[in-house]
Amino acid sequence: MRKTSDSNGLQDTAGKRLSIGIAQTRDFLPEEIGRMAQVDETATAVRAAMIDARIDSSADVHFVQIKCPLLTSDRIEAAHGRGRKTATTSAYGSMGYSRGASALGVAAALGEIKGDIGDEHILKQFDLFSFVASTSAGIELMHNVVIVMGNSGQSASPFVIGHAVMRDAIDPAAVIAALQSVGLEPQSRS
């Protein structure tokens, strides 16, 4: 993010500016975690958060943070008691499934995935992903909390947001691209 100003240091109010929207999914049944139900509900919540932020285009979304649930032994037993099978029987492994399904929900909502996806793709087909999703799983909830950050023409914020994808932990080209995505041009240090 960067604050925008003109040459006199005054706020430039033209153009799209940072806006943040929040939404959440319904509570999931244990057997829905890491499956298409979570993907679909997450996509719906991402679109609702975009409306909340008054972001009109998926191209203006630059970061989506999701907190999602994970399975516990009690949750797995409850599903099995109803004759349902969970995506995994490992509480630790369920973190990956929940995060993966949530990220695919973001990708689906923003049009980053073309074609159909199904349960068999979650944590299996690694060319399906989101460029803007960040997910974390926790025991304290049974639904997804979705925070969308992007730029809106209706925002009064003095800030804009952009992004770039890093190839690895020390990818200076991605850092420069992220700066350029918000109109900043890094100076040469030579």
Side-chain angles (χ1 to χ4, degrees):
M1 288 182 281
R2 75 169 172 93
K3 188 171 182 176
T4 59
S5 60
D6 64 16
S7 60
N8 297 319
L10 300 174
Q11 180 180 329
D12 173 10
T13 57
K16 295 179 181 179
R17 297 288 178 259
L18 174 66
S19 188
I20 301 170
I22 301 171
Q24 64 184 23
T25 66
R26 63 169 171 78
D27 282 357
F28 297 111
L29 293 170
E31 60 268 25
E32 294 177 318
I33 294 173
R35 297 231 166 98
M36 284 305 298
Q38 189 173 18
V39 173
D40 293 338
E41 291 292 325
T42 302
T44 298
V46 168
R47 289 188 286 272
M50 288 175 63
I51 291 168
D52 184 51
R54 297 180 175 166
I55 297 171
D56 299 324
S57 169
S58 59
D60 291 323
V61 175
H62 294 280
F63 184 71
V64 180
Q65 178 65 54
I66 297 184
K67 182 69 173 192
C68 54
L70 56 86
L71 294 172
T72 63
S73 57
D74 289 342
R75 293 171 183 172
I76 293 167
E77 278 184 39
H80 291 172
R82 290 190 318 280
R84 303 294 183 169
K85 186 176 178 185
T86 54
T88 180
T89 57
S90 164
Y92 183 75
S94 76
M95 288 192 291
Y97 278 96
S98 187
R99 292 189 319 250
S102 298
L104 287 179
V106 173
L110 301 180
E112 294 177 295
I113 295 176
K114 305 298 181 213
D116 294 333
I117 57 173
D119 288 340
E120 68 277 8
H121 298 114
I122 299 168
L123 292 189
K124 302 285 190 283
Q125 191 168 336
F126 297 111
D127 61 334
L128 300 175
F129 61 91
S130 172
F131 287 100
V132 298
S134 174
T135 61
S136 66
I139 195 171
E140 68 278 8
L141 69 172
M142 283 302 291
H143 60 276
N144 283 8
V145 176
V146 177
I147 302 171
V148 169
M149 296 183 189
N151 295 311
S152 169
Q154 299 180 53
S155 175
S157 172
F159 299 100
V160 295
I161 186 171
H163 76 278
V165 177
M166 297 177 73
R167 292 176 301 152
D168 54 48
I170 42 178
D171 183 1
V175 173
I176 291 168
L179 292 170
Q180 290 171 332
S181 78
V182 295
L184 297 174
E185 196 60 47
Q187 300 292 323
S188 172
R189 298 194 79 183
S190 53

